[in-house]
Amino acid sequence: MVFKRLMQAMGVGGPSVETVLANPNCRPGGQLTGSIAVTGGDHPVDVSYVALGLLTRVEVESGDNEYSTNQEFHRQQMTGAFRLEAGQRYDIPFHFDVPWETPVTELYGQHLHGMTMGLRTELEVARAVDSSDLDAVTVHPLPAQERLLEALLRLGFRFARADVERGHIYGVHQTLPFYQEIEFYPAPQYAGAMKQLEVTFVANPRQMEVVLELDKRGGLFTEGRDVFGRFTVDHASLDQVDWAAQLDNWLRQSLRRRGLFG
């Protein structure tokens, strides 16, 4: 009897959980839908709750050290406590809200190198090891994000990689504890003035903040430095702007002001 209780406490013969997404594709501000199947093991248990959490890989700078960690950034509890009998199946349909600031993982059918995103299902059982399930999620850009990224590609920028940095951007209202940086190799016309361009989007239901960071080329006797710019895009007026021309104009003006462009 003692051995059986020990095995139960270690999760042996306990319940299992499996999540099936109706569609693993979503956009920031949208929803993921599906169903969670909880199946009882070889003994009855008291389930404390079933919850879903969205997580991504985040780069963290701490002093002189830098490391990566998986961070859950949005969580919804799907059930309260319930009794699960041995062998019983308990199905939980769900609608999971995707935050507006969720990082993008795919563009034009291509995975953004450096990005990971998953939906984790957590089943907590009183006095036992928790069960969990992790499902890959693909986050496509909002129309505004897609339009600006497309404009950069039209200007000749080439995608390099993307990552998520823990922290907050000065002067930008964020609800999440991190921000995404999408890095590009410079277009030929800017190659002498910058090493790379980093783009960050911080969206909400009405508009989107766009932050551009130009990694300046250093000269023989000067150090390279970062140049920042920021502007706001309203979702409603998105189609009224030639974004390739707008970005080209902003980049040229910004570089000229700093004596980096002829």
Side-chain angles (χ1 to χ4, degrees):
M1 181 61 72
V2 173
F3 178 74
K4 184 176 181 180
R5 287 176 181 168
L6 176 62
M7 296 296 283
Q8 290 177 6
M10 293 173 61
V12 178
S16 63
V17 59
E18 181 180 7
T19 298
V20 177
L21 289 166
N23 187 343
N25 298 278
C26 65
R27 292 182 190 269
Q31 283 190 330
L32 290 164
T33 62
S35 180
I36 305 167
V38 180
T39 305
D42 58 14
H43 54 273
V45 294
D46 292 314
V47 176
S48 300
Y49 63 81
V50 177
L52 291 172
L54 202 55
L55 66 155
T56 191
R57 197 77 175 159
V58 176
E59 303 290 332
V60 182
E61 288 188 15
S62 178
D64 295 331
N65 298 319
E66 186 172 318
Y67 62 93
S68 298
T69 184
N70 290 327
Q71 179 164 350
E72 182 180 280
F73 60 92
H74 183 58
R75 183 180 181 85
Q76 289 178 217
Q77 191 164 311
M78 297 293 119
T79 72
F82 63 93
R83 179 76 169 176
L84 186 69
E85 300 297 334
Q88 179 187 2
R89 179 178 167 125
Y90 189 75
D91 291 307
I92 308 159
F94 68 84
H95 291 76
F96 183 87
D97 298 322
V98 179
W100 281 92
E101 294 175 26
T102 298
V104 174
T105 66
E106 186 166 306
L107 179 64
Y108 298 127
Q110 297 295 315
H111 177 75
L112 295 186
H113 175 67
M115 291 304 305
T116 59
M117 188 72 60
L119 185 68
R120 178 169 58 194
T121 309
E122 183 180 284
L123 170 73
E124 182 171 290
V125 178
R127 299 178 301 281
V129 175
D130 299 343
S131 297
S132 64
D133 185 30
L134 183 64
D135 295 89
V137 170
T138 300
V139 184
H140 298 266
L142 292 163
Q145 295 169 333
E146 197 168 68
R147 199 65 54 86
L148 267 75
L149 293 172
E150 182 182 73
L152 287 171
L153 296 175
R154 280 168 47 204
L155 287 172
F157 286 87
R158 293 175 296 117
F159 172 73
R161 66 184 303 275
D163 66 5
V164 178
E165 304 276 346
R166 182 177 290 176
H168 288 81
I169 303 170
Y170 177 78
V172 176
H173 175 69
Q174 292 173 233
T175 61
L176 297 182
F178 54 68
Y179 55 91
Q180 181 179 33
E181 289 185 336
I182 303 176
E183 301 174 11
F184 290 88
Y185 298 117
Q189 63 268 35
Y190 309 110
M194 71 172 82
K195 289 190 292 185
Q196 66 182 21
L197 175 68
E198 297 177 348
V199 182
T200 294
F201 301 118
V202 182
N204 62 46
R206 190 172 60 85
Q207 61 188 22
M208 179 177 72
E209 294 278 0
V210 183
V211 180
L212 301 178
E213 180 180 350
L214 287 64
D215 190 0
K216 170 191 171 294
R217 286 195 177 278
L220 183 60
F221 300 107
T222 60
E223 289 187 12
R225 66 181 185 276
D226 296 336
V227 179
F228 292 86
R230 192 178 93 214
F231 59 90
T232 302
V233 178
D234 290 326
H235 298 305
S237 59
L238 175 66
D239 296 328
Q240 300 171 16
V241 178
D242 181 342
W243 288 109
Q246 185 95 340
L247 286 167
D248 182 59
N249 182 57
W250 184 90
L251 289 168
R252 288 176 185 274
Q253 285 186 6
S254 181
L255 290 169
R256 284 195 190 104
R257 280 198 303 269
R258 292 160 176 84
L260 306 176
F261 202 68

